[in-house]
Amino acid sequence: MYINVLGAGLAGSEAAWQIAQRGIDVRLYEMKPEKKTPAHSSDNFCELICSNSLKAARIESASGLLKEEMRRLGSMLMECADKCAVPAGGALAVDRNEFSSMVTQRLKAHPKIEVIGKEITDFPQDGITVVATGPLTSDAFADKIIKRCGGSLHFFDAAAPIVTAESIDYEHTFSASRYDKGGDDAYINCPMNKEEYEAFHAALVNAERAPRHDVDVMNPKVYEGCMPVEILAGRGLDTLRFGPMKPVGLRDPRTGHRPWAVLQLRTENSQKTLFNLVGFQTNLRFPEQKKVFGMIPALKNAEYVRYGVMHRNTFLNSPGLLGADYAMLDDPELFFAGQMTGVEGYMESAGSGLLAGINAARRFNGESSLILPRETMLGALANYISCSESKDFQPMGANLGILPPLEEHIRDKRERAAAYAQRALKLLGQYI
């Protein structure tokens, strides 16, 4: 007897590991390397498509708390992420190639995991199944999911470009983290004065965009959390200055003043040879990216190892379909995990895979599901996707707003966040 896991992304990899660690055989289906989506390039599992940042590291933050909860529940992905970390100020970022390779090696070496390299086009008819095929699920299987679940929603997700370190013009940069958090080696800052910024903005909003063949181009549904920079720019001259190019918390040591606008570059690998344009996810044509982004003085001669791309994401209208254990309400042997469930973010997806894997194993052994308390971040996300009362269900990432209020009102923001974290980890400890 075995459990099927469909997809070896963040959610599927974590789910497969959790099941196998409980002594149950796993059939892990992954269509790579036989077939790849337009957004994938590596043959390895857990390929990080957008940013290499796993968000804030501090436990006294929503995303930091989520990661700590996962560590305490034995997350394999968190163990790999901690080992592959690269400097990123107050965030946990990873060398994406090292991370993906390490996860792949561990899964393939596990004696309880059989990796089957083929595309899944229908639900397996045998045994318990965890569906973790991700937001880029193949069209054939997506159709089966839509029929099984009574429809789905979709939106578009965009990835930022990556440039080589040696091609950056460092005469027009300074190294610093916002508000001096995390050391000066976390980000390379590319400042612009008012004249430079306004010329850049004008070029950006008028640049030619790449065609989108698999979307209603007259009415695309773009997720706010990964908005293409050109769409943001189109909302007003100062939108970028209050968004990805905000200069708040930064001071150019060469002038002693805050710049008019700043693009931050974050390291992509431990060798610091590649840098990501933070917040610059885009759907511009490749030549346009080079021309327009080259108007930023530090990037005038930038060499791109990956241009920004835009791709489809698909997710379920999970409330009414899934329980807080990530199982279908009408079929407790069919689980879903990952962004398809309506959680948004790398570690949020992995966290859902962790719980889906644990609960699939418990179902296999005839045990009741593990439903974590809503006071934990993992429990709050599971509650959100299963019990959201919103008429327009949208993906949700980790945030303190989805946790139940504290009994005591704490005015200080940091102290309040610390209290949320302390409460969550205490309750999680009782469940563990």
Side-chain angles (χ1 to χ4, degrees):
M1 294 291 290
Y2 52 84
I3 294 177
N4 302 299
V5 176
L6 314 184
L10 289 153
S13 294
E14 188 67 72
W17 183 264
Q18 294 299 326
I19 296 166
Q21 286 294 90
R22 285 158 175 79
I24 302 169
D25 289 326
V26 178
R27 287 187 175 180
L28 176 58
Y29 291 86
E30 170 54 52
M31 67 181 188
K32 293 197 301 183
E34 177 184 296
K35 182 178 180 179
K36 295 187 178 76
T37 73
H40 290 99
S41 58
S42 169
D43 290 344
N44 285 328
F45 305 156
C46 270
E47 184 177 356
L48 303 182
I49 299 174
C50 298
S51 169
N52 68 324
S53 173
L54 307 183
K55 300 182 182 176
R58 291 185 303 109
I59 294 176
E60 299 83 7
S61 68
S63 54
L65 174 59
L66 172 68
K67 290 190 282 289
E68 182 60 22
E69 291 177 4
M70 291 175 63
R71 288 187 185 98
R72 297 190 184 195
L73 285 169
S75 167
M76 182 266 287
L77 293 192
M78 280 309 309
E79 184 179 340
C80 292
D82 288 335
K83 291 180 178 179
C84 299
V86 297
L92 172 61
V94 299
D95 182 313
R96 68 177 74 215
N97 292 325
E98 283 185 25
F99 174 73
S100 178
S101 178
M102 184 179 295
V103 172
T104 304
Q105 291 171 12
R106 295 194 68 175
L107 290 172
K108 288 185 173 181
H110 201 294
K112 286 290 183 179
I113 299 177
E114 177 188 1
V115 177
I116 301 174
K118 63 177 292 187
E119 179 184 1
I120 288 293
T121 57
D122 203 349
F123 293 95
Q125 300 302 308
D126 53 338
I128 298 170
T129 296
V130 178
V131 179
T133 47
L136 303 178
T137 296
S138 65
D139 291 339
F141 191 43
D143 288 341
K144 292 294 193 301
I145 294 174
I146 291 171
K147 291 177 182 177
R148 175 65 180 79
C149 299
S152 72
L153 305 172
H154 71 273
F155 60 94
F156 277 71
D157 199 4
I162 297 175
V163 299
T164 62
E166 62 184 6
S167 68
I168 299 168
D169 187 343
Y170 292 98
E171 289 187 7
H172 296 281
T173 69
F174 63 94
S175 296
S177 295
R178 205 176 298 279
Y179 298 108
D180 295 324
K181 293 181 179 178
D184 288 346
D185 62 346
Y187 294 96
I188 293 177
N189 298 280
C190 308
M192 303 178 78
N193 60 35
K194 184 180 180 189
E195 182 180 0
E196 291 166 342
Y197 171 79
E198 291 184 352
F200 164 75
H201 181 273
L204 180 60
V205 296
N206 291 297
E208 186 177 2
R209 303 174 188 178
R212 294 176 296 204
H213 301 293
D214 52 353
V215 66
D216 175 6
V217 295
M218 298 302 293
N219 187 30
K221 195 169 187 179
V222 182
Y223 179 52
E224 290 286 336
C226 219
M227 184 71 65
V229 66
E230 62 272 14
I231 293 181
L232 278 177
R235 294 178 173 179
L237 179 60
D238 289 323
T239 305
L240 296 181
R241 294 183 60 244
F242 289 92
M245 300 189 76
K246 64 182 178 183
V248 177
L250 295 170
R251 190 172 297 277
D252 190 337
R254 299 169 304 170
T255 65
H257 300 292
R258 186 173 74 181
W260 187 255
V262 174
L263 165 66
Q264 290 195 305
L265 305 179
R266 180 177 56 229
T267 183
E268 275 286 315
N269 55 7
S270 55
Q271 294 80 29
K272 299 183 182 179
T273 58
L274 302 175
F275 283 84
N276 184 291
L277 279 62
V278 177
F280 264 47
Q281 51 271 10
T282 181
N283 188 48
L284 296 183
R285 287 184 176 276
F286 292 174
E288 292 286 85
Q289 293 183 40
K290 187 175 182 64
K291 180 177 72 174
V292 175
F293 298 156
M295 296 177 70
I296 299 172
L299 300 183
K300 63 182 180 182
N301 297 314
E303 177 186 349
Y304 294 79
V305 297
R306 186 192 73 186
Y307 285 103
V309 295
M310 195 169 183
H311 52 82
R312 188 191 68 184
N313 270 338
T314 305
F315 61 97
L316 301 174
N317 190 12
S318 294
L321 290 176
L322 301 179
D325 58 356
Y326 291 94
M328 291 288 291
L329 294 175
D330 63 1
D331 184 354
E333 294 197 346
L334 178 59
F335 293 79
F336 282 83
Q339 281 188 232
M340 185 176 290
T341 67
V343 296
E344 197 282 316
Y346 286 148
M347 287 297 100
E348 289 86 343
S349 295
S352 71
L354 184 150
L355 289 182
I358 290 174
N359 284 319
R362 293 176 70 89
R363 178 70 184 176
F364 183 93
N365 291 326
E367 301 169 344
S368 60
S369 292
L370 172 66
I371 307 296
L372 293 178
R374 287 181 56 198
E375 289 81 3
T376 65
M377 192 57 67
L378 284 168
L381 286 168
N383 178 75
Y384 173 80
I385 65 98
S386 60
C387 299
S388 175
E389 297 178 355
S390 173
K391 294 181 179 179
D392 183 21
F393 179 70
Q394 289 291 317
M396 179 66 72
N399 69 88
L400 299 180
I402 62 174
L403 299 175
L406 296 165
E407 291 185 6
E408 178 187 0
H409 177 67
I410 303 175
R411 298 188 64 177
D412 183 81
K413 186 176 180 180
R414 281 185 171 273
E415 290 181 7
R416 186 167 63 249
Y420 274 121
Q422 183 179 14
R423 181 184 67 175
L425 295 177
K426 180 180 179 180
L427 284 171
L428 182 65
Q430 295 173 3
Y431 271 69
I432 293 175

